[in-house]
Amino acid sequence: MSIVYINSAACISVQDTLSENFSEHLKPENSTQVLKAIEPNYKEFIPPAMIRRMSKTVKMSSVASTLALKEAGIEKPDSIIVGTGMGCSQDSEKFLKNVLENNEEFLTPTFFIQSTHNTVAGQIALGLQCHGYNFTYVNTSSALEFSLLDAKLQILDGEAENVLVGSTDEKTDRIMELYQLSNTIKKEENLPSDYLNSKTEGVIWGEGSSFFVLGKDKNESSYAQLKDIQITNKLESDETEKFIREFLVKNNLKNEEIDAVILGFSGDSKSDIYYKKASELFQNSSLLYYKHLSGEFNTASGFSTFMACHILKNQEIPEVMMINDIKKDEIKNVLLYNHLKGDDHSLILLEKT
């Protein structure tokens, strides 16, 4: 079977992931309820007249996608696929606010048009004049995984050679208020958050945008091979071991052949039990976590995929991500496991190129 390569990776997050040596300056964030992404100088990438009309998630995605394409040496991809949990919620809030303030009269359509989830993929395509396959997945925490799976199938079926795949989500004031009311976000009195041994429910929320170019050919910038993806909506905690074992058997791998496992510990005592069950399977692997660096959000797995790509390419694991002290001489296979509040479980298997 043909191999699918991840040929570039770009990420805007609450860390300074656009800088060259970002892995040396990763800082855990455990004392703030909601984290803000470190944004670039958009004027360097987007005409000023357009910036004013773009929501935050569109701006972040425009920059991340531009950098991903540049690194892969691709001017125009064959397909553009974006995964998002909340879409352009900033413009959605603005539109609804206008509806209320103007008594449903004399509304400008701009915010409504830009509030749809597929705005990001559409704006990128317009900028590139790309008329190929353009699709948006809205599957809460597995939106990126569905996007990667779609891209992989397209490449293996010969329908595309290079696919731009991204994930993006932004925080907005009103939604954050609702998340606090529903106890999705940790209460002030439960901070700082202990991500690995939390006794309280709720998470620290984040935001970000991650983009990758998947291709059928390996090149100088290649990070990893995308070997396989597995997704399931519902899973009981005692089914975690079976879910992972069957995935490894499917890929002809034993537990000890997984060199590093990246787990989505979020500090939510109720749902982190899945990650604790998973970690018991890999006694001889490097166990890593990442949401203390990115925060929890619908497409946080974009940040972990970005980090996994760099770990495989550089053969180096940032100390701040380590749960245990096991380090392999060579990092060949990396397994990523993620879910959001116990739903939409996903596994991604990446292999060194």
Side-chain angles (χ1 to χ4, degrees), residues 17-265:
T17 36
L18 291 183
S19 65
E20 281 190 23
N21 301 315
F22 72 89
S23 59
E24 299 173 11
H25 308 288
L26 294 170
K27 296 178 182 177
E29 303 282 356
N30 62 2
S31 300
T32 308
Q33 287 178 299
V34 180
L35 305 174
K36 183 180 184 297
I38 298 174
E39 299 175 83
N41 181 1
Y42 291 122
K43 291 178 182 177
E44 295 178 5
F45 302 91
I46 308 167
M50 293 179 66
I51 293 175
R52 289 187 294 107
R53 295 195 297 269
M54 288 181 168
S55 66
K56 187 175 185 178
T57 194
V58 173
K59 288 187 288 187
M60 290 193 299
S61 300
S62 295
V63 174
S65 60
T66 297
L67 294 173
L69 289 167
K70 184 179 179 181
E71 185 180 26
I74 302 294
E75 288 187 10
K76 190 183 295 185
D78 301 310
S79 305
I80 297 172
I81 307 172
V82 174
T84 181
M86 299 299 294
C88 299
S89 45
Q90 191 178 91
D91 282 327
S92 298
E93 287 189 9
K94 287 179 181 177
F95 173 71
L96 293 172
K97 187 179 179 183
N98 277 353
V99 170
L100 294 171
E101 290 179 349
N102 294 288
N103 296 315
E104 303 180 26
E105 297 177 335
F106 314 117
L107 300 173
T108 56
T110 309
F111 292 137
F112 175 72
I113 294 167
Q114 294 178 343
S115 70
T116 57
H117 289 72
N118 59 356
T119 298
V120 174
Q123 288 280 4
I124 294 170
L126 284 170
L128 296 172
Q129 289 297 295
C130 177
H131 303 288
Y133 178 88
N134 190 288
F135 207 86
T136 300
Y137 284 91
V138 187
N139 301 80
T140 58
S141 67
S142 55
L144 172 65
E145 288 78 359
F146 275 104
S147 301
L148 289 170
L149 183 58
D150 189 350
K152 184 172 186 282
L153 292 171
Q154 283 203 37
I155 292 169
L156 294 179
D157 289 344
E159 295 179 12
E161 290 188 9
N162 294 288
V163 181
L164 177 66
V165 179
S167 63
T168 185
D169 275 298
E170 63 186 358
K171 67 175 183 64
T172 54
D173 294 338
R174 183 57 180 155
I175 290 175
M176 293 305 104
E177 288 173 12
L178 295 172
Y179 279 176
Q180 287 176 338
L181 289 171
S182 66
N183 294 322
T184 297
I185 292 175
K186 271 200 189 298
K187 295 179 180 177
E188 284 276 7
E189 58 264 31
N190 294 329
L191 296 175
S193 175
D194 183 347
Y195 279 84
L196 297 178
N197 300 291
S198 177
K199 299 291 190 293
T200 59
E201 293 185 24
V203 301
I204 290 175
W205 204 259
E207 61 180 357
S209 181
S210 303
F211 274 77
F212 311 89
V213 172
L214 270 60
K216 71 168 190 172
D217 299 319
K218 179 183 176 182
N219 61 30
E220 290 180 3
S221 66
S222 295
Y223 284 85
Q225 296 178 40
L226 178 60
K227 298 297 288 184
D228 201 6
I229 300 162
Q230 186 77 28
I231 305 160
T232 186
N233 176 241
K234 295 290 184 182
L235 194 71
E236 297 298 327
S237 60
D238 56 5
E239 296 174 328
T240 309
E241 183 176 331
K242 181 185 177 187
F243 176 57
I244 296 173
R245 284 191 186 279
E246 287 180 351
F247 180 72
L248 295 179
V249 169
K250 178 185 168 188
N251 287 281
N252 299 313
L253 286 170
K254 298 176 182 176
N255 295 31
E256 55 269 23
E257 291 179 292
I258 300 296
D259 303 301
V261 183
I262 304 182
L263 301 165
F265 279 101

Side-chain angles (χ1 to χ4, degrees), residues 103 136 277 305 331:
N103 296 315
T136 300
K277 294 268 188 185
T305 305
I331 305 168

